[in-house]
């Protein structure tokens, strides 16, 4: 987090805690806009932002998560994406590459569909199509849905093992990284769970013309890899990467492989004319 610039910004009638990396420097690459997983704060993704050191990186805490104030009322993917677009406008960013993980992967899909002109390419990690997502392990889903994993050390160890296939105590530096995650408020966590109720991207995905990279773990107990195959079948210009031995947090367990995959996709030669028409 030392290299991040942290601020509070108003956008779409909401106050949000924002983190940016290298936004004021020169880069040959578009900024990456990142949507985080449920309950996770900016701190959880700081290592990824640091690793992608050749491009600007932007993310924010959802209402009631991390350092963002509690929401006054429930929100929807549509309203959060509208606020995100307003935020990018304030930052002077006309075009971005978008990435999302888990819950944030669903939000990333909504943003790409709702604000197509702003998005060049899309990366979806450990996510599905909303209501049409094939469910994973009930025990693992229960662990993911319970905010105690951010507050109770014993519960965190059990839930981490369910999500990650290893004990939190055995992960060394990765455990230290998770220790920096700010716990969400109960209302923030509840509203984040409720936000995707009834939502599905499946009917619109065949009309998504962006280039899309779908990244999944083949041992993910929360979002089984079959969901990535479904997304791949629905999105015309998509490619699918499945990480062998990867759980829901393969961005941690397969860090170098994940970063290499992301770089390769974002840096691959532009189908410039096609992407310009797609926008």
């Amino acid at each position: 987090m030392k290299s991040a610039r942290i601020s509070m910004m108003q956008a779409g009638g909401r106050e949000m805690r924002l983190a940016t990396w290298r936004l004021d420097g020169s880069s040959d690459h578009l900024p990456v806009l990142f949507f985080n997983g449920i309950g996770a704060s900016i701190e959880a993704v700081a290592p990824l932002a640091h690793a992608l050191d050749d491009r600007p990186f932007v993310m924010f805490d959802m209402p009631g998560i991390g350092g963002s104030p509690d929401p006054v009322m429930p929100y929807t993917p549509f309203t959060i994406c509208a606020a995100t677009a307003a935020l990018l406008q304030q930052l002077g960013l006309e075009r971005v590459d978008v990435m999302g993980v888990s819950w944030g992967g669903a939000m990333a899909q909504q943003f790409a569909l709702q604000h197509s002109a702003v998005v060049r390419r899309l990366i979806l990690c450990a996510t599905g199509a909303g209501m049409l997502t094939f469910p994973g392990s009930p025990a693992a889903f229960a662990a993911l849905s319970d905010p105690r994993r951010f507050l109770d050390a014993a519960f965190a160890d059990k839930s981490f093992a369910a999500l990650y296939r290893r004990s939190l105590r055995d992960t060394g530096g990765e455990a230290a990284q998770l220790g920096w995650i700010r716990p969400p408020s109960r209302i923030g966590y509840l509203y984040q769970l409720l936000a995707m109720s009834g939502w599905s991207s499946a009917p619109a995905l065949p009309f998504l013309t962006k280039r899309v990279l779908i990244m999944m773990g083949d041992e993910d107990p929360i979002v089984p890899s079959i969901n990535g195959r479904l997304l791949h079948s629905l999105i015309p210009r998509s490619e699918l990467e499945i990480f062998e031995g990867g759980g829901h947090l393969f961005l941690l367990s397969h860090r170098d492989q994940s970063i290499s995959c992301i770089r390769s996709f974002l840096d691959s030669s532009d189908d410039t004319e096609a992407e310009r028409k797609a926008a």
Side-chain angles (χ1 to χ4, degrees):
M1 291 294 293
K2 291 181 180 179
S3 59
R5 176 170 292 183
I6 309 294
S7 61
M8 300 297 294
M9 292 190 69
Q10 293 274 351
R14 301 179 185 276
E15 185 177 15
M16 296 180 288
R17 177 177 175 247
L18 173 77
T20 63
W21 286 260
R22 299 169 294 275
L23 204 57
D24 296 333
S26 60
S27 175
D28 295 329
H29 304 290
L30 287 178
V32 173
L33 169 66
F34 190 93
F35 289 97
N36 215 339
I38 191 163
S41 66
I42 287 167
E43 286 80 0
V45 185
L48 176 64
H50 184 73
L52 295 173
D53 58 1
D54 58 341
R55 64 193 72 228
F57 198 97
V58 177
M59 68 170 300
F60 60 89
D61 286 335
M62 289 291 163
I65 307 298
S68 290
D70 283 346
V72 176
M73 61 183 65
Y75 54 85
T76 67
F78 182 88
T79 57
I80 285 294
C81 286
T84 303
L87 188 69
L88 293 180
Q89 189 172 31
Q90 287 186 48
L91 294 172
L93 302 178
E94 298 180 354
R95 201 129 194 250
V96 293
D97 290 319
V98 177
M99 182 175 179
V101 61
S102 192
W103 184 95
M107 195 65 73
Q109 293 172 61
Q110 175 68 30
F111 188 82
L113 291 165
Q114 186 175 331
H115 298 282
S116 177
V118 182
V119 180
R120 184 188 69 129
R121 294 184 183 179
L122 179 63
I123 300 176
L124 305 175
C125 303
T127 194
M131 290 296 291
L132 295 184
T133 296
F134 291 90
S137 158
F141 184 79
L144 184 75
S145 302
D146 196 324
R148 284 184 297 162
R149 66 194 177 102
F150 298 104
L151 303 169
D152 184 304
F155 188 84
D157 189 47
K158 290 180 181 179
S159 64
F160 192 83
L163 297 173
Y164 197 54
R165 305 296 191 187
R166 285 192 286 166
S167 168
L168 183 61
R169 291 186 296 270
D170 298 332
T171 59
E174 294 151 4
Q177 174 184 325
L178 291 181
W180 281 100
I181 299 176
R182 291 190 178 191
S185 71
R186 292 189 179 277
I187 192 70
Y189 202 81
L190 174 62
Y191 282 1
Q192 197 172 14
L193 282 171
L194 291 175
M196 292 296 176
S197 298
W199 178 90
S200 177
S201 59
L205 290 180
F207 304 99
L208 181 61
T209 55
K210 307 297 179 183
R211 284 189 60 185
V212 180
L213 171 64
I214 303 160
M215 302 168 67
M216 308 292 293
D218 70 350
E219 296 183 4
D220 189 339
I222 296 294
V223 187
S225 60
I226 189 174
N227 291 287
R229 299 186 190 280
L230 174 61
L231 291 175
H232 184 41
S233 70
L234 290 173
I235 302 173
R237 302 182 69 208
S238 64
E239 51 192 86
L240 176 64
E241 184 75 25
I242 298 180
F243 294 89
E244 184 177 353
H248 195 63
L249 302 178
F250 64 81
L251 287 176
L252 286 179
S253 63
H254 297 59
R255 179 181 178 276
D256 293 342
Q257 187 180 352
S258 296
I259 291 171
S260 176
C261 187
I262 292 167
R263 284 188 184 280
S264 178
F265 174 72
L266 293 179
D267 293 343
S268 60
S269 58
D270 282 16
D271 187 4
T272 307
E273 188 60 31
E275 290 191 341
R276 192 174 291 126
K277 289 180 180 178

